[in-house]
Amino acid sequence: MNLNIKELLSISRPRFWMYVLGTFLVGMISSGNPFNYDTETTILLVVFSIFFSFPANLLIYGVNDIYDYETDILNDKKSNYEKILSPAKHKKLWMIICLLTFPFITCLFFVSTYTLCAIVVFIFMGLFYSAPPIRAKSKPPLDILFSSIIYISPGIIGFLITGNTKVQWLAVLGGLIWASAMQTYSAVPDIKADRASGVETLATKLGHRKALWFCLLAYLLSSIIGTIYVGTVAVLFGTVYVVVVALSLYNSTKVFKYYTYFPLINIIGGTVLFFYLFFNELR
C-alpha cells in the first residue's frame, strides 16, 4: 500500500520536530557565532538542519509506529491524538525511511571522527529504542537512557560539526536529565495501554504518582544545572515544567491534557534558549 505525503508528515509528528532540530540548533549556536564558519562547515550545518527536520523524525517515529502497533491499538491517546499505522504499510514505510536517510549518510565522509560517532549513536538509538532485538522502550531504565540520548545527541552533533570539541559534559548531563523527565511524563498517559499489552516502561514500573514525582525532581535538577550556563532562563522554564508536573500530581485526570501542551512549551523554551545563546555569541 502507498503512503502519501500527508500520512508521512503525520507519522513524523511535525509538532515534535523541534525536539531534535531544536537541540541541534542550540548545540550549533553554543559553539560560536554561526556567521564565522567557513563554507564547508556552513553547508554541513544546513544539510544536517534539513536532516533533523523531516527525515530524522520520520526515522524515529516511523520505526516507533511499526513496532508499537500491538500497543497502539489498545491506546486511546494514540487513536485520538495521533494515527495508528496499518501493518500493510510497514514495509513501504521502511523503504521510504531508508531512501530519505541514505543521502545524508553520504555526508558522513565530510565530518570529523567525533561527529561521525555522535551521528552513529543518534541513528542507533533512534532505531533500537523501538526496534528489536534491543527495543529499549520496553526495558526500563534503557527506555529513558535511549530516549534521552536521541533528543540530546543532535545538540552534540551540532556542536561538533563546527569543529569545536570542548563539550561541556555537565550541560549534556543536564539535558539528558531534562529529556528523561520529558520521556517519562509522555509515558504516564500510556501506563494502562502499556500494561495491557505487556510493555514495561519506567512509568509502568513506578506507577502514576511515583513517575510524576520522578519527572518533577528531574526537571528541578536539570534546571539547577542549567543555571550554571544560562542563568535565569533555566530558572524560568524549570519553573514552568515543575508547575505543570505539580498540577498533574494535584489532578491526575488531566495528565494527558497537560501533555498536549508540552510541544508548545518546549518550542518556546528552545527558541528563547537559542536566541539567548545567539545574542551572547554576537557580543
Side-chain angles (χ1 to χ4, degrees):
M1 296 180 69
N2 289 328
L3 283 162
N4 59 47
I5 187 62
K6 183 178 180 181
E7 288 178 293
L8 292 171
L9 282 171
S10 176
I11 292 166
S12 73
R13 322 280 208 275
R15 65 185 177 279
F16 295 155
W17 283 12
M18 288 304 292
Y19 287 9
V20 291
L21 176 58
T23 51
F24 174 81
L25 294 175
V26 167
M28 174 200 74
I29 203 68
S30 66
S31 181
N33 187 337
F35 298 115
N36 292 337
Y37 299 132
D38 59 35
T39 302
E40 182 178 337
T41 300
T42 302
I43 291 172
L44 285 171
L45 289 169
V46 170
V47 167
F48 280 97
S49 293
I50 296 170
F51 173 69
F52 284 116
S53 56
F54 176 61
N57 283 282
L58 187 67
L59 167 69
I60 296 168
Y61 298 113
V63 174
N64 179 80
D65 283 357
I66 289 169
Y67 290 104
D68 270 16
Y69 177 76
E70 296 299 327
T71 304
D72 288 344
I73 57 177
L74 301 173
N75 193 343
D76 290 339
K77 185 186 90 171
K78 186 70 178 181
S79 58
N80 295 332
Y81 187 56
E82 297 171 354
K83 298 286 185 181
I84 297 176
L85 184 69
S86 165
K89 298 183 178 183
H90 289 182
K91 184 176 180 180
K92 185 70 173 182
L93 179 57
W94 264 122
M95 292 175 59
I96 294 170
I97 290 170
C98 292
L99 286 172
L100 284 175
T101 304
F102 179 77
F104 297 95
I105 297 296
T106 61
C107 296
L108 300 184
F109 293 104
F110 303 97
V111 301
S112 69
T113 302
Y114 293 119
T115 307
L116 173 62
C117 290
I119 294 169
V120 169
V121 166
F122 170 80
I123 294 174
F124 179 88
M125 297 293 178
L127 283 172
F128 293 109
Y129 173 72
S130 300
I134 299 176
R135 191 160 166 75
K137 71 176 299 177
S138 63
K139 296 180 177 67
L142 288 183
D143 57 339
I144 62 168
L145 177 63
F146 272 58
S147 178
S148 298
I149 293 173
I150 287 169
Y151 292 118
I152 299 305
S153 57
I156 299 175
I157 293 166
F159 187 85
L160 294 173
I161 284 178
T162 67
N164 196 337
T165 58
K166 297 179 180 179
V167 178
Q168 297 292 324
W169 291 110
L170 180 59
V172 172
L173 176 62
L176 291 171
I177 294 171
W178 170 83
S180 72
M182 184 178 73
Q183 194 278 339
T184 303
Y185 189 87
S186 71
V188 170
D190 298 335
I191 288 176
K192 183 177 179 180
D194 285 342
R195 284 176 173 168
S197 58
V199 173
E200 290 188 345
T201 66
L202 185 65
T204 63
K205 285 282 191 182
L206 293 176
H208 189 102
R209 290 192 65 81
K210 287 182 180 178
L212 290 175
W213 274 109
F214 170 84
C215 295
L216 190 148
L217 293 173
Y219 278 130
L220 183 60
L221 180 57
S222 65
S223 66
I224 290 171
I225 294 174
T227 59
I228 298 172
Y229 300 96
V230 294
T232 55
V233 172
V235 174
L236 174 63
F237 284 100
T239 301
V240 172
Y241 290 115
V242 167
V243 167
V244 170
V245 179
L247 288 171
S248 302
L249 281 163
Y250 177 74
N251 191 343
S252 61
T253 62
K254 292 188 175 181
V255 172
F256 177 69
K257 181 180 179 180
Y258 297 141
Y259 163 78
T260 63
Y261 299 154
F262 266 60
L264 179 60
I265 294 171
N266 289 331
I267 288 171
I268 293 172
T271 302
V272 171
L273 179 58
F274 176 87
F275 283 106
Y276 174 86
L277 294 170
F278 177 76
F279 289 117
N280 273 357
E281 291 297 337
L282 291 181
R283 291 176 183 173

